Amino acid sequence: MTVKVLQTSSPSLYVFQTSLPALSTQPTKDSGCSELSLMETREYLAVALKKPTLTPKAIIHQNFGNKASYVVEEVREVHQTECPGLSIPQMGPCLYRCTLQLPELSVISGTFKKKKDAEQSAAEIAIEKLGIRTEAIDPTPQEAQRSLVARIAYLFSDNFLMCDHPLSGHIRATLWSKGDLCGSLPITVIAVYDAKLISLCKCINPEVESAPFLVFSYIKKATAKFCEFLTTSEQNLWIRRKNPYPQDILESFMVEDVSQDCIQVAAIRIPSSVEQSIEAVTLHISLKEYYLDIIADELGVEDAANILISRNLGKASSETRLFFTASKSYLLDPSKFPNGKENLHFEGCLNIRASYLSGQDIIGDAILASIGYTRKSRDLFYEDVTVQLYHRMLLGKTPGGIYKLSREATLVAELPSRFTTKANWRGSLPRDILCMFCRQQRLSEPLFSITNHPLKTSSGSSGSCLKVAESDTNVIGCVNGTSVAASPKLSDSDVFKCEIKLLSRCGDLILLCSPKDCYKKQNDAVQNTSLTVLSWLNNHIKGMTVPFEQLYETADNFNIQICSKNIFREILAGQPIHNGQLNAIRFNKVVESTCMNSPYDTPGNGVKSLRIDGQDSGVCPCNGSLPCIRYSVSLVVEGENLKEVIEVCDEFEFEVGVGSVVSYVEEVVMQMSVGQCAYFTMNLPTSDFIFASAGDSVKILSLLSSKECCMEYEISLTKVAEPPEERMEQALFSPPLSKQRVEFAVRHILESHATTLLDFGCGSGSLLEALLNYPTSLEKIAGVDISLKGLSRAAKVLNSKLGKIFEADVQLTNIKSVILYEGSITNFGSRLHGFDIGTCLEVIEHMDEDLACLFGDVALSFFSPRILIVSTPNFEYNVVLQKANPPTQEQEESDEKTLLQSCKFRNHDHKFEWTREQFRQWASDLAARHNYEVEFSGVGGSADVEPGFASQIAVFKRDWKLEDELLKHADTEHHYNVIWEWNSKKE
């Protein structure tokens, strides 16, 4: 029989053209099927196979092949559309445009951030212009049945044998076998390695997704249609052509160069009995024999036809699989095979460890190996599978394990409990971990739903009190487990919520996470909600003995709704141990466990014999900081001079206070300063973690089995990145100090009835933007800064915000004019003279101290605002912020100088930070020199409680009726450039 594949005029249609030998008139003894007439056979083979949905580029390639030429060019243009009137040239992001040249026409795509998107767009435009049909309709069960018959015929055709397909590699390998096994392809192999055939079986019966061995029966039924050309029987679990392949085809691949007579492949045997440990085995495979026969021999069965093969483990392209056996009765009648939904009684022993690893039921002993045939290659692919890789694969079945592996720190890293900022996160992001976990559990990709939530405001009669509407969300995040109250907002789209759904492959809802917290950034909402789901899953996997009623309670704590039926079928089916233990193998007091979350969950674990060497440099980690350590972990035999290094890392950075390392490591690091080394020992973690880290598993196994061991840690603290000032403040204050400073300024604006405001050192415009959220009396606001980059950002933010405000039906602000100037605040420009109120919040500490003093004189003598508000950090409060908790009574009673000597500036960019006394002296002298009165206040903390306010504030005022004689003596030159200007009359 010869089968050729022809492409029809429709790009989504294939037709088989078949050349058949004469039909035999003698019935086949072992066929067990009725004959199929030549006409019926051709009718089955001439069937249209629906192809899966193709990308536009794939469709173009299908129609034009190499005649399609893609040329991608980089596009980078001056970009002004975001902020009209901005005088700073703004280069847009790097974009790409693609030109697709076809024989019939040429098309040009739009601009895209990614090259591949530009190429796909160009192909899509070409498809539309050429009128090529792209619709792909899923076949009906009847159509899929007919297509399955045609597919079986094609798999055993001459053409298929010569193509580079994983299954054709298996067929070629079987031709090396002798006797009846020559060319006999196991049905189990067809059911695993032909994706198209599997897809057709799923169309016939969706249950195939959860019970893959049902494919056997469909293959056998389809094969029965060709009893004159293919042979099989109820007793033979393979399919073979009756007529041999043409001699020229056989010779073409039989004479292919074989560089090695035999290869050695490292694999793992996983016994079905949990009383036996896993062990490394070596498969000696000749390239002139079928590798599945070697695996069958290793498992003690007759031939490859009796071998079952699991789904691929890990990546879709991976050839790492489990090979195992089952009673022939189950192979002949797959409906008897357990499917994981029920606790059925069946012959053979369920292999708990292998089943957990694969997510499907494995019977008897199993071989874990990475070997097989791949697409676009006729060579046998193989990789060694070690004990370490086996345990790392086990580790990767849990959310915490995925994070540990991404950091390459099995014994130190931990899935963090909180997502603070993307800049501080290390390792795979929560969203990526969740997607990977779903793939590991054979679930659908998680669905993320992002929504905008308005925070309405209402003002009292005085306009000084702003409240969040009760009907709206009043939380923007969580810091140290405490909800942070939302600040007043007027914009209708500046906070986000994320909802996540986990679905089975069949679309059944497994769980829904709908947290109440809102976030300023969309990405923060996605990452935090993902981490919420991961944390609950991690806790659940860690404590699988929890009764189902408590499972519901814990889900409520995480704002998760679960579907008991689906979650137990889809997630717990892959973890069939209900006592929380995977293996009962014990090495002294070590137990291997599926609960691979923290390696130190056993009561009584703690740091032993801690020793810290080196001088105290004074540079210590604090809450929110990013310490970087160099560490090594060794297995040490107690009482003997035996030491085996297990895990080493030269540069490991983590955020303090979010649980991103095991608690004992953080506990030790917090006692160290940069340059010091710490040495300590601990009890053994579960052996899964040891083997996942250790390279020499044989030596480790020997030590664990015969000796009393412990873990020895050696840690060096190499550097500490200080936490951003705002992060430190958020850890203690709600709302954050930045919000409190804005509210302080707003209160004085309302009291003064000021109509004009000038912000000295406006930076990226955070204060000016925040002022737009409040119904103040301001009509004109201006900002001045020396940084063009900051001013550019400020212009974009303000332009966007003002646009939204004035698009609303109700006018929410009286602002009529906004101007941004570029220049130093120590130089005077007459256009900035005489504003009602000036603000300089957390700016002067970024200048040299002498320039800060110069600014004070220039501001009060030349700019002459009626009111000037200056805030700066209180250096004395740093002892509280940097320890992330209030000072104890013992600290309060200690020498103040000793405490302050251990403190650092809040930001690496600060040139100085003043104590309360220094700040009062500077402000009082300044006010006296320029006929201003000054009042002292602050935000964060209290003036009556040591160490005072976190941010100290001076409010300078002068008499409104005082005649202004200063301007005539001032330099009237314009030292400032207008960078951007907005006027409501122009809008």
Side-chain angles (χ1 to χ4, degrees):
M1 175 183 65
T2 302
V3 180
K4 294 183 179 180
V5 182
L6 304 177
Q7 185 175 346
T8 65
S9 56
S10 172
S12 61
L13 212 59
Y14 280 94
V15 171
F16 288 109
Q17 185 182 72
T18 315
S19 176
L20 299 172
L23 291 173
S24 172
T25 57
Q26 299 296 324
T28 305
K29 293 181 180 180
D30 63 348
S31 65
C33 66
S34 59
E35 293 184 4
L36 190 68
S37 69
L38 180 61
M39 183 177 296
E40 290 174 321
T41 302
R42 285 175 174 163
E43 181 182 347
Y44 272 106
L45 293 175
V47 62
L49 294 181
K50 272 68 178 181
K51 298 197 66 182
T53 303
L54 299 176
T55 64
K57 277 190 71 176
I59 294 173
I60 290 295
H61 179 75
Q62 192 180 73
N63 285 268
F64 298 96
N66 295 331
K67 295 179 181 179
S69 174
Y70 296 86
V71 178
V72 179
E73 61 177 326
E74 190 175 299
V75 180
R76 199 173 181 90
E77 302 174 347
V78 176
H79 188 65
Q80 290 285 3
T81 56
E82 287 186 16
C83 186
L86 182 62
S87 63
I88 306 172
Q90 297 293 296
M91 298 302 294
C94 181
L95 301 175
Y96 299 95
R97 179 188 296 123
C98 178
T99 301
L100 171 57
Q101 184 67 51
L102 299 173
E104 303 176 31
L105 81 163
S106 176
V107 297
I108 301 176
S109 73
T111 54
F112 295 87
K113 291 182 179 180
K114 298 180 179 179
K115 293 181 180 180
K116 62 180 182 180
D117 291 340
E119 292 175 340
Q120 294 290 1
S121 175
E124 191 173 359
I125 294 171
I127 289 170
E128 184 178 355
K129 290 190 175 184
L130 292 170
I132 299 176
R133 293 180 57 191
T134 59
E135 298 84 2
I137 305 172
D138 291 333
T140 64
Q142 293 75 21
E143 291 173 334
Q145 197 102 36
R146 294 165 63 86
S147 297
L148 181 62
V149 173
R151 183 66 182 173
I152 292 293
Y154 173 60
L155 294 179
F156 288 89
S157 68
D158 298 345
N159 288 347
F160 183 77
L161 182 67
M162 299 304 296
C163 74
D164 294 331
H165 185 283
L167 199 55
S168 65
H170 284 264
I171 297 175
R172 289 193 295 269
T174 62
L175 294 175
W176 291 102
S177 302
K178 305 299 182 182
D180 289 341
L181 293 180
C182 181
S184 299
L185 184 65
I187 292 178
T188 58
V189 171
I190 303 175
V192 170
Y193 289 101
D194 187 37
K196 292 183 179 179
L197 184 145
I198 297 170
S199 297
L200 290 171
C201 289
K202 289 178 183 178
C203 291
I204 298 171
N205 182 3
E207 289 293 324
V208 168
E209 175 64 44
S210 55
F213 299 116
L214 290 175
V215 174
F216 298 167
S217 59
Y218 293 112
I219 293 174
K220 293 179 68 176
K221 289 177 183 178
T223 305
K225 300 290 185 181
F226 303 100
C227 56
E228 285 298 315
F229 319 111
L230 301 176
T231 179
T232 187
S233 71
E234 291 297 328
Q235 289 73 40
N236 296 323
L237 297 171
W238 38 256
I239 303 173
R240 184 177 70 238
R241 276 178 41 148
K242 286 189 174 181
N243 298 324
Y245 289 97
Q247 190 64 29
D248 59 333
I249 293 179
L250 294 177
E251 291 176 354
S252 67
F253 69 85
M254 287 292 189
V255 297
E256 288 178 358
D257 179 43
V258 178
S259 57
Q260 292 177 284
D261 291 334
C262 182
I263 60 173
Q264 295 183 350
V265 181
I268 295 295
R269 175 188 286 272
I270 307 174
S272 58
S273 171
V274 295
E275 299 299 328
Q276 300 178 22
S277 62
I278 66 165
E279 58 181 358
V281 295
T282 301
L283 305 176
H284 300 274
I285 301 173
S286 168
L287 297 182
K288 292 186 178 181
E289 60 186 336
Y290 191 19
Y291 76 88
L292 281 179
D293 287 334
I294 307 301
I295 293 178
D297 183 64
E298 184 71 33
L299 290 171
V301 295
E302 296 177 2
D303 58 63
N306 296 320
I307 294 292
L308 292 178
I309 307 170
S310 75
R311 306 176 177 115
N312 54 338
L313 307 180
K315 300 180 297 182
S317 60
S318 171
E319 280 302 314
T320 305
R321 300 175 186 268
L322 284 162
F323 303 87
F324 58 104
T325 61
S327 172
K328 185 173 289 189
S329 62
Y330 294 116
L331 297 178
L332 297 174
D333 186 2
S335 63
K336 295 180 181 180
F337 204 93
N339 56 21
K341 297 180 184 178
E342 303 175 52
N343 187 18
L344 301 177
H345 297 285
F346 52 89
E347 298 177 19
C349 180
L350 179 67
N351 192 323
I352 294 173
R353 291 172 291 189
S355 298
Y356 174 78
L357 192 61
S358 65
Q360 64 185 101
D361 290 298
I362 305 295
I363 307 302
D365 289 0
I367 297 292
L368 176 65
S370 183
I371 184 170
Y373 298 97
T374 59
R375 291 186 178 275
K376 300 182 180 179
S377 175
R378 295 193 176 188
D379 298 325
L380 184 65
F381 167 86
Y382 60 92
E383 288 180 331
D384 289 339
V385 176
T386 62
V387 174
Q388 181 187 36
L389 179 59
Y390 163 76
H391 284 278
R392 289 170 73 87
M393 291 173 69
L394 274 181
L395 196 62
K397 292 282 287 183
T398 65
I402 296 172
Y403 180 78
K404 286 174 176 289
L405 293 174
S406 74
R407 298 227 58 192
E408 290 294 328
T410 303
L411 296 172
V412 169
E414 200 72 280
L415 178 68
S417 59
R418 292 186 291 115
F419 180 90
T420 54
T421 64
K422 186 175 180 180
N424 281 13
W425 186 272
R426 298 295 182 270
S428 296
L429 290 168
R431 184 187 187 280
D432 299 332
I433 296 175
L434 182 59
C435 291
M436 189 177 299
F437 177 81
C438 289
R439 287 192 289 271
Q440 289 275 20
Q441 301 295 331
R442 292 194 63 78
L443 305 177
S444 295
E445 288 289 306
L447 299 179
F448 300 87
S449 300
I450 311 296
T451 55
N452 293 355
H453 286 263
L455 291 176
K456 300 178 182 178
T457 62
S458 59
S459 59
S461 57
S462 65
S464 60
C465 181
L466 301 175
K467 298 181 179 179
V468 178
E470 293 182 1
S471 60
D472 292 322
T473 305
N474 61 355
V475 175
I476 63 171
C478 187
V479 178
N480 287 340
T482 304
S483 295
V484 181
S487 58
K489 295 278 185 181
L490 291 180
S491 174
D492 60 353
S493 60
D494 50 359
V495 290
F496 298 91
K497 278 187 179 181
C498 177
E499 180 182 271
I500 295 179
K501 291 181 181 179
L502 296 191
L503 307 175
S504 70
R505 285 290 177 95
C506 299
D508 298 325
L509 179 65
I510 293 176
L511 66 82
L512 169 67
C513 181
S514 304
K516 299 176 182 178
D517 296 350
C518 296
Y519 302 89
K520 289 183 177 181
K521 297 180 180 179
Q522 182 172 314
N523 182 64
D524 287 351
V526 171
Q527 301 296 353
N528 276 284
T529 308
S530 298
L531 187 55
T532 297
V533 176
L534 291 171
S535 298
W536 181 80
L537 289 169
N538 223 33
N539 291 341
H540 161 62
I541 293 172
K542 178 181 175 182
M544 292 181 60
T545 57
V546 175
F548 186 68
E549 294 75 16
Q550 292 185 24
L551 189 63
Y552 260 118
E553 293 177 8
T554 60
D556 289 339
N557 295 336
F558 286 84
N559 297 301
I560 290 176
Q561 303 174 35
I562 63 175
C563 176
S564 59
K565 175 182 176 182
N566 292 332
I567 195 169
F568 275 101
R569 184 179 70 191
E570 300 295 340
I571 295 181
L572 296 186
Q575 303 163 357
I577 293 299
H578 298 290
N579 62 1
Q581 292 186 349
L582 177 59
N583 302 318
I585 310 169
R586 294 179 177 270
F587 305 109
N588 299 324
K589 299 179 181 179
V590 184
V591 181
E592 295 190 29
S593 170
T594 56
C595 308
M596 294 192 294
N597 179 29
S598 172
Y600 305 102
D601 293 323
T602 308
N605 271 326
V607 175
K608 302 175 183 179
S609 61
L610 172 63
R611 185 178 89 249
I612 298 178
D613 294 343
Q615 293 184 345
D616 187 349
S617 65
V619 182
C620 306
C622 62
N623 190 64
S625 65
L626 296 173
C628 184
I629 63 174
R630 180 173 57 251
Y631 74 86
S632 66
V633 187
S634 304
L635 183 66
V636 177
V637 178
E638 297 182 7
E640 299 183 28
N641 191 25
L642 289 177
K643 182 176 180 180
E644 184 70 21
V645 177
I646 295 177
E647 185 171 287
V648 177
C649 184
D650 291 330
E651 189 173 342
F652 183 87
E653 193 173 46
F654 65 95
E655 183 178 2
V656 174
V658 298
S660 58
V661 293
V662 292
S663 58
Y664 304 96
V665 170
E666 184 167 301
E667 174 188 325
V668 171
V669 171
M670 291 298 286
Q671 302 177 50
M672 302 170 64
S673 65
V674 172
Q676 289 185 325
C677 296
Y679 306 87
F680 63 93
T681 60
M682 291 193 63
N683 291 336
L684 291 176
T686 58
S687 58
D688 289 312
F689 290 99
I690 297 176
F691 285 114
S693 302
D696 190 346
S697 58
V698 175
K699 190 171 184 179
I700 295 298
L701 179 61
S702 174
L703 290 175
L704 290 174
S705 302
S706 60
K707 307 288 184 179
E708 288 290 336
C709 302
C710 64
M711 304 298 292
E712 181 180 275
Y713 282 70
E714 179 178 340
I715 298 176
S716 300
L717 182 58
T718 57
K719 62 181 179 180
V720 174
E722 294 300 323
E725 181 180 355
E726 185 177 352
R727 283 284 325 287
M728 280 197 299
E729 295 172 351
Q730 285 179 349
L732 286 180
F733 299 107
S734 174
L737 284 184
S738 58
K739 288 292 180 187
Q740 294 187 38
R741 286 190 289 265
V742 171
E743 290 169 358
F744 182 94
V746 169
R747 185 165 65 251
H748 280 76
I749 291 170
L750 293 171
E751 291 173 355
S752 66
H753 303 287
T755 58
T756 59
L757 176 138
L758 175 61
D759 185 24
F760 294 99
C762 65
S764 298
S766 57
L767 173 63
L768 299 179
E769 180 200 4
L771 288 173
L772 298 178
N773 293 331
Y774 297 87
T776 65
S777 56
L778 293 174
E779 296 180 0
K780 177 182 179 180
I781 59 176
V784 58
D785 201 278
I786 200 170
S787 169
L788 287 174
K789 185 176 181 180
L791 290 168
S792 177
R793 291 177 180 173
K796 293 175 183 177
V797 169
L798 291 169
N799 183 75
S800 175
K801 189 96 171 200
L802 288 164
K804 291 178 181 179
I805 290 175
F806 281 85
E807 284 176 4
D809 295 335
V810 181
Q811 187 171 339
L812 303 177
T813 180
N814 294 320
I815 300 293
K816 297 180 176 60
S817 174
V818 183
I819 306 177
L820 296 179
Y821 296 96
E822 181 259 333
S824 170
I825 60 175
T826 58
N827 295 329
F828 174 68
S830 59
R831 286 185 294 180
L832 303 187
H833 169 78
F835 276 76
D836 291 340
I837 193 166
T839 54
C840 185
L841 306 185
E842 309 296 289
V843 174
I844 60 173
E845 64 273 9
H846 294 273
M847 310 163 64
D848 290 329
E849 198 166 357
D850 56 344
L851 289 178
C853 295
L854 175 61
F855 160 73
D857 287 321
V858 171
L860 297 188
S861 63
F862 295 108
F863 291 110
S864 304
R866 310 293 186 184
I867 299 173
L868 176 64
I869 302 174
V870 178
S871 79
T872 191
N874 171 15
F875 179 68
E876 296 166 275
Y877 205 90
N878 290 1
V879 67
V880 179
L881 287 173
Q882 292 168 11
K883 293 298 181 183
N885 50 41
T888 62
Q889 183 178 359
E890 181 181 349
Q891 287 175 318
E892 291 177 353
E893 293 174 355
S894 64
D895 183 23
E896 182 179 356
K897 287 187 177 180
T898 303
L899 281 175
L900 292 178
Q901 284 174 357
S902 65
C903 293
K904 301 171 286 293
F905 291 163
R906 297 184 197 178
N907 192 309
H908 66 88
D909 191 46
H910 288 184
K911 301 298 192 299
F912 69 91
E913 288 181 5
W914 281 331
T915 63
R916 286 169 290 175
E917 181 180 352
Q918 290 172 318
F919 181 62
R920 280 179 173 270
Q921 187 65 48
W922 170 78
S924 298
D925 293 346
L926 185 62
R929 285 198 302 272
H930 301 288
N931 294 322
Y932 275 78
E933 295 179 355
V934 62
E935 298 174 358
F936 295 97
S937 185
V939 294
S942 171
D944 301 326
V945 179
E946 289 295 321
F949 291 111
S951 279
Q952 48 191 344
I953 300 176
V955 180
F956 300 88
K957 296 181 180 179
R958 69 182 178 94
D959 191 348
W960 284 66
K961 297 180 180 179
L962 183 65
E963 291 294 332
D964 188 359
E965 297 292 336
L966 297 173
L967 183 58
K968 63 181 67 176
H969 303 295
D971 179 4
T972 58
E973 294 293 326
H974 293 179
H975 292 286
Y976 295 100
N977 300 318
V978 177
I979 296 301
W980 177 76
E981 183 173 1
W982 178 90
N983 193 313
S984 62
K985 296 179 182 179
K986 298 178 182 179
E987 298 300 314

